[in-house]
């Protein structure tokens, strides 16, 4: 933060100790690859982009945010980061694991109902569709399949969003008419795994890292 006065916080990469699973290892590796403010801001609708406990924050910023909000259906950390980016605060990550996250079978990450996938998705849709979110003033074009497309579209409709749903997965032909609408909508791809997202970034016509979003 001393080297970049525009930053409001600095987090670090993380390490894992204790009961380490393959899934948590993959998650830590993904999170450790998000180093810049832009990378973390764009990834926040996939998963939590940084461990809040690994960070150093400006006191006045935390006071402005009123700390953590615990009266929600979802975890305080995903709520914290979404409110952080909504308010326009900047954060970056030290490319070194300075915080080690102890893992055990009964930790709240695995057992608290607030960490269930439906509650996490409810949080993501809430912040995506609110007036300060990426969908403000635009129609949302959802690209996905099956139950995921159905569930997320229902959440967004309940939030008052105007939707265009496209039943599609990477490798399928891209409807030309849907691509032509990109100027008037915000595109959201409902794919959380690395390989589909990478394929979309490389192969989808006119994919724009700045304007297009992934949500899972």
């Amino acid at each position: 933060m001393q080297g970049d006065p525009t930053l409001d916080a600095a987090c670090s990469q993380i390490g894992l100790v204790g009961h380490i699973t393959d899934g948590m290892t993959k998650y830590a590796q993904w999170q450790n690859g998000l180093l810049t403010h832009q990378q973390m801001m764009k990834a926040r609708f996939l998963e939590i982009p940084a461990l809040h406990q690994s960070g150093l924050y400006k006191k006045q910023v935390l006071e402005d945010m009123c700390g953590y909000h615990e009266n929600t259906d979802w975890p305080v950390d995903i709520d914290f980061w979404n409110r952080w980016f909504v308010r326009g605060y900047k954060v970056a990550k030290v490319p070194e694991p300075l915080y080690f996250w102890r893992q055990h079978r009964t930790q709240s990450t695995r057992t608290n109902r607030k960490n269930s996938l439906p509650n996490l998705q409810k949080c993501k849709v809430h912040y995506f569709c609110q007036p300060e979110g990426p969908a403000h003033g635009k129609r949302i074009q959802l690209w996905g399949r099956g139950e995921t497309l159905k569930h997320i579209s229902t959440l967004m409709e309940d939030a008052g969003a105007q939707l265009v749903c496209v039943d599609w997965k990477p490798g399928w032909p891209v409807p030309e008419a849907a691509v032509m609408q990109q100027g008037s909508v915000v595109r959201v791809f409902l794919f959380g795994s690395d390989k589909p997202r990478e394929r979309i970034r490389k192969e989808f016509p006119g994919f724009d890292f700045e304007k297009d979003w992934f949500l899972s």
Side-chain angles (χ1 to χ4, degrees):
M1 291 171 67
Q2 290 179 337
D4 186 351
T6 69
L7 292 178
D8 301 296
C11 294
S12 77
Q13 291 181 327
I14 62 170
L16 302 175
V17 295
H19 177 67
I20 303 174
T21 63
D22 291 342
M24 193 59 75
T25 297
K26 185 177 180 180
Y27 169 59
Q29 291 172 343
W30 171 81
Q31 196 185 89
N32 284 342
L34 306 173
L35 299 179
T36 68
H37 170 82
Q38 183 71 1
Q39 288 173 332
M40 285 187 274
M41 185 270 295
K42 290 291 294 187
R44 72 187 190 272
F45 298 113
L46 286 170
E47 251 292 359
I48 297 166
L51 290 192
H52 62 101
Q53 58 267 46
S54 75
L56 181 66
Y57 309 88
K58 290 182 178 179
K59 179 181 178 181
Q60 64 269 28
V61 171
L62 293 184
E63 290 176 344
D64 180 56
M65 291 184 62
C66 299
Y68 298 116
H69 291 181
E70 298 188 25
N71 58 338
T72 64
D73 293 332
W74 45 76
V76 295
D77 45 6
I78 191 171
D79 183 79
F80 173 86
W81 283 120
N82 274 287
R83 288 189 294 116
W84 177 277
F85 291 113
V86 162
R87 290 174 177 264
Y89 293 128
K90 292 194 65 177
V91 61
K93 193 176 294 180
V94 176
E96 180 181 354
L98 302 178
Y99 180 86
F100 289 82
W101 188 16
R102 182 170 297 279
Q103 303 291 298
H104 56 90
R105 290 180 176 85
T106 59
Q107 69 192 92
S108 63
T109 303
R110 295 184 171 94
T111 61
N112 193 318
R113 66 170 185 81
K114 288 191 173 186
N115 290 293
S116 68
L117 180 59
N119 282 334
L120 294 173
Q121 291 176 329
K122 184 178 179 181
C123 175
K124 296 168 189 176
V125 169
H126 169 77
Y127 282 105
F128 194 88
C129 294
Q130 70 173 202
E132 298 85 357
H136 178 59
K138 294 184 177 181
R139 297 173 71 193
I140 300 173
Q141 191 179 67
L142 290 181
W143 295 72
R145 293 234 66 212
E147 288 301 314
T148 299
L149 179 61
K150 180 179 178 181
H151 177 62
I152 297 298
S153 64
T154 299
L155 289 177
M156 288 189 170
E157 286 173 347
D158 290 344
Q162 293 185 324
L163 299 178
V164 176
C165 294
V166 184
D167 184 19
W168 176 87
K169 68 178 182 179
W172 285 14
V174 177
E176 183 177 350
V179 176
M180 294 299 290
Q181 295 179 33
Q182 64 183 347
S184 60
V185 302
V186 54
R187 283 191 305 218
V188 183
F189 297 93
L190 304 179
F191 300 92
S193 299
D194 291 340
K195 289 184 179 180
R197 287 190 287 113
E198 184 61 25
R199 189 167 183 178
I200 291 169
R201 282 192 289 261
K202 290 181 177 180
E203 300 177 5
F204 192 90
F207 181 85
D208 190 325
F209 178 81
E210 298 291 332
K211 298 178 180 179
D212 296 329
W213 294 84
F214 290 103
L215 188 150
S216 66

